């Protein structure tokens, strides 16, 4: 079994999860505490990857990233990046596709916190940024951890979007899900099973560890 698709898969999942954590934290805070019109429109756009077929999202991203489209042409001309059939394109597509898996758990964690916690922080003279980073986030660690792991696991299992954007280039865009598809098409079921079992085992272990940690954190926070 070639381990390159597995390495590429976990590299993609790790980069996507870290980037999304940075992006999702302020967006989740804004959704919970911000006052603005069109909240429903914003939440609907964020949640679209949950209901749209991956091939639909992949198709429109393929059009947008294409050098024949103004966005793809701009990125290639001014930044020297060709997003179609490249690892960079996979990262951007994965960030967009996994956005709700990071934002929604964090938003739910922030919403579950008592309003008095935020008010007490302001009363003590802390700024909005200090309140968010020093008071709110430490009190919703389980939600943040869950969001990170769900995003990582979701990216590991991506197929339709990565196939549309990245194709099947060994060492560049051929992730494990695409490798499984190729082996099944070639009727090489033992190789497909090997890839599938590795993904199954690693994602199960990660989820088991995270939920165990979350349960322990929740028990610590509960009064005796």
């Amino acid at each position: 079994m070639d381990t390159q698709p597995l390495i590429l898969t976990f590299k993609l999942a790790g980069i996507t999860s870290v980037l999304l954590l940075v992006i999702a934290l302020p967006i989740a805070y804004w959704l919970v505490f911000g006052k603005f019109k069109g909240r429903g429109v914003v939440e609907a756009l964020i949640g679209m990857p949950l209901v749209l077929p991956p091939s639909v999202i992949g198709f429109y991203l393929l059009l947008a990233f294409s050098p024949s489209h103004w966005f793809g042409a701009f990125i290639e001309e001014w930044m020297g990046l060709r997003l179609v059939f490249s690892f960079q394109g996979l990262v951007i597509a994965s960030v967009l596709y996994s956005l709700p898996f990071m934002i929604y758990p964090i938003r739910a964690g922030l919403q579950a916190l008592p309003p008095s916690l935020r008010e007490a922080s302001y009363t003590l003279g802390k700024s909005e940024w200090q309140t968010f980073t020093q008071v709110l986030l430490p009190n919703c660690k389980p939600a943040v951890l869950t969001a990170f792991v769900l995003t990582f696991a979701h990216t590991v299992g991506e197929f339709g979007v990565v196939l549309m954007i990245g194709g099947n280039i060994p060492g560049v865009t051929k992730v494990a899900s695409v490798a499984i598809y190729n082996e099944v098409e070639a009727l090489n079921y033992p190789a497909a099973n090997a890839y599938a079992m590795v993904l199954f085992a690693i994602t199960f272990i990660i989820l088991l560890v995270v939920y165990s940690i979350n349960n322990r954190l929740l028990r610590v926070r509960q009064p005796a």
Side-chain angles (χ1 to χ4, degrees):
M1 181 182 66
D2 183 10
T3 59
Q4 198 171 49
L6 293 169
I7 296 172
L8 196 63
T9 296
F10 293 116
K11 178 183 176 182
L12 175 64
I15 294 174
T16 299
S17 300
V18 171
L19 288 176
L20 267 178
L21 183 62
V22 175
I23 295 169
L25 284 173
I27 294 177
Y29 180 87
W30 178 58
L31 288 175
V32 175
F33 301 111
K35 296 179 180 179
F36 59 95
K37 294 182 179 179
R39 182 186 300 272
V41 175
V42 174
E43 292 182 341
L45 288 173
I46 293 173
M48 287 295 281
L50 294 174
V51 294
L52 275 179
S55 56
V56 173
I57 298 175
F59 171 69
Y60 285 115
L61 289 178
L62 181 63
L63 293 181
F65 292 171
S66 171
S68 61
H69 189 271
W70 70 267
F71 177 76
F74 174 80
I75 294 296
E76 184 170 351
E77 181 178 353
W78 293 97
M79 301 182 66
L81 291 176
R82 173 164 289 199
L83 299 180
V84 176
F85 306 125
S86 69
F87 184 77
Q88 293 87 345
L90 286 188
V91 171
I92 295 175
S94 297
V95 165
L96 294 173
Y97 185 51
S98 295
L99 189 63
F101 291 88
M102 183 68 80
I103 289 180
Y104 286 163
I106 296 176
R107 184 187 66 172
L110 291 173
Q111 288 175 330
L113 297 177
S116 58
L117 197 64
R118 189 162 168 255
E119 294 166 1
S121 178
Y122 289 151
T123 303
L124 293 173
K126 291 186 180 293
S127 66
E128 188 172 8
W129 171 253
Q130 289 174 323
T131 298
F132 179 51
T133 57
Q134 300 176 15
V135 179
L136 300 182
L137 278 184
N139 281 280
C140 60
K141 287 179 182 177
V144 175
L145 185 58
T146 299
F148 188 91
V149 172
L150 285 178
T151 301
F152 185 92
H154 181 253
T155 306
V156 167
E158 284 180 12
F159 175 71
V161 171
V162 297
L163 185 62
M164 293 286 285
I165 298 298
N168 185 17
I169 305 174
V172 181
T173 62
K174 184 182 177 182
V175 295
S177 57
V178 176
I180 293 172
Y181 177 77
N182 289 343
E183 299 298 350
V184 171
E185 274 202 322
L187 301 180
N188 189 0
Y189 296 133
N193 180 61
Y195 283 119
M197 287 300 295
V198 170
L199 292 183
F200 179 89
I202 292 178
T203 51
F204 177 78
I205 291 171
I206 291 174
L207 290 174
L208 179 63
V209 171
V210 168
Y211 286 125
S212 298
I213 294 173
N214 274 353
N215 290 334
R216 187 175 302 173
L217 290 174
L218 291 174
R219 282 197 300 268
V220 170
R221 290 174 57 184
Q222 289 176 352

